[in-house]
Amino acid sequence: MKFSPLRLLANTLFFLQMSDASQRVRETNQSVTSDFTLMGLFNHSGPHLTLFSLVAATFTMGLLGNAILIFLIHTDARLHTPMYFLLSQLSLLDVGFPLVTIPKMAADFLEEEGTISFGGCAAQMFFLMLIGVSEGVLLSLMSYDRYIAVCHPLHYPVLMRRQVCLLMVGTSWLSGVLVASIQTSITLHFPYCASRTVDHFFCELPALLKLSCADTSAYELALSISGVLILVLPLALIATSYSHVLGAVLHMHSAEARHKAFTTCSSHITVVGLFYGAAVFMYMVPGTYHTPQQDNVVSLFYSLITPMLNPLIYSLRNREVQMALVRILFRTGFRSKR
């Protein structure tokens, strides 16, 4: 048989392509079938047991506070307004945030095991991103609601009619689903063939990217750019809305009206500061500038502390919510006496 260099070259290229394809299949299969290991937050020493108990108590308080707020808004007719409808959606998101992360972290701590399946990790990442993006968009739309209420009170019933409120809520949820679907699918497309130990207490996108054995630098750059858009655009709307609100409040002649507007708006600004402060640190500051320990603390803050504080901020600083709670307690006590 006559020797042919072209045939030899073709056979060699074919062999290399088949080897590369089989290697990709093995990497993909390994990524899909293998579990991840979460490092967790606590060990079983005395101080860490105390911290774990504190986290469990905070988790319970947060769920209870947001559930009470949702219940009050749903049952009290005086709270059936656009502002409180949007607030009930914020509380619903704040119920979801800790439920995605804390029960799994607590179960791992109690069972002394930190494994999570590939599918579980994907679900955790998807729902966290969905809730986070939805809450960011919703907070910006809530600032627009306050702008209309303070600056255009006569047009408020028309500009914030029920259809507009439903559109706002739908936009926030749809934004979350869209961003979460894209980011999660891209992140989990990378092969994870090295260490599968996540230096975090849940599957968060930046922590997972560090485990990929592929070059993720281009995607991390795109992620930072998209993070700027996702965070800066809502912040720009919030800043614009409240600059107009501040101007209107300063020109109010009634001290009572000024106090009511300031109280309502300052509550929302406080929530915005807590949420966006943590989000900017995690997704706009490059990963080289913060350690895994700092990421754990910040993630615990926005997934647990902020959802627990939100109902307290709105209830303690809002007389209408306080009065609704008093009415419910009075009604309940009166029925029990009868």
Side-chain angles (χ1 to χ4, degrees), residues 44-308:
H44 286 76
S45 63
H48 280 235
L49 286 171
T50 303
L51 288 174
F52 174 77
S53 302
L54 185 60
V55 166
T58 304
F59 171 74
T60 305
M61 287 175 57
L63 290 185
L64 188 61
N66 282 293
I68 290 173
L69 196 53
I70 293 172
F71 175 75
L72 290 176
I73 293 171
H74 178 72
T75 56
D76 196 304
R78 293 176 180 85
L79 301 183
H80 291 175
T81 63
M83 184 185 81
Y84 289 108
F85 174 68
L86 296 176
L87 180 56
S88 69
Q89 294 298 307
L90 179 66
S91 291
L92 184 61
L93 291 168
D94 283 339
V95 168
F97 242 134
L99 281 177
V100 176
T101 57
I102 304 303
K104 171 62 179 169
M105 184 269 288
D108 290 342
F109 175 79
L110 296 173
E111 296 172 4
E112 299 185 34
E113 182 181 338
T115 58
I116 184 171
S117 66
F118 186 88
C121 193
Q124 208 174 48
M125 191 186 312
F126 173 82
F127 284 110
L128 279 171
M129 202 166 299
L130 186 157
I131 294 170
V133 173
S134 298
E135 184 160 335
V137 174
L138 184 64
L139 285 171
S140 66
L141 296 175
M142 288 174 72
S143 72
Y144 173 77
D145 167 75
R146 291 299 83 208
Y147 159 71
I148 297 297
V150 175
C151 300
H152 303 283
L154 297 179
H155 298 95
Y156 186 81
V158 176
L159 295 177
M160 289 302 297
R161 59 191 181 275
R162 182 171 177 78
Q163 292 87 342
V164 175
C165 293
L166 292 174
L167 180 62
M168 285 181 168
V169 172
T171 300
S172 65
W173 281 98
L174 186 61
S175 302
V177 170
L178 183 63
V179 173
S181 300
I182 295 172
Q183 301 286 23
T184 303
S185 60
I186 294 176
T187 302
L188 296 177
H189 176 73
F190 290 111
Y192 295 93
C193 49
S195 169
R196 304 180 73 84
T197 301
V198 183
D199 197 359
H200 211 4
F201 67 97
F202 61 86
C203 287
E204 192 167 28
L205 194 151
L208 208 62
L209 282 178
K210 295 176 183 179
L211 303 182
S212 176
C213 55
D215 182 14
T216 61
S217 56
Y219 175 56
E220 289 183 38
L221 178 61
L223 185 65
S224 297
I225 295 172
S226 65
V228 168
L229 295 175
I230 292 169
L231 293 173
V232 170
L233 289 179
L235 277 174
L237 177 59
I238 292 169
T240 303
S241 298
Y242 278 113
S243 63
H244 287 88
V245 167
L246 180 61
V249 170
L250 292 177
H251 287 87
M252 286 180 178
H253 299 293
S254 169
E256 183 180 351
R258 268 200 312 270
H259 176 74
K260 183 178 180 180
F262 178 77
T263 301
T264 305
C265 295
S266 62
S267 297
H268 183 250
I269 291 173
T270 304
V271 172
V272 167
L274 292 172
F275 177 82
Y276 275 98
V280 166
F281 179 84
M282 284 299 297
Y283 289 95
M284 288 181 64
V285 177
T288 54
Y289 292 94
H290 43 90
T291 65
Q293 290 75 22
Q294 290 174 328
D295 289 346
N296 278 326
V297 172
V298 173
S299 297
L300 185 67
F301 184 82
Y302 75 72
S303 65
L304 178 67
I305 307 300
T306 303
M308 184 271 294

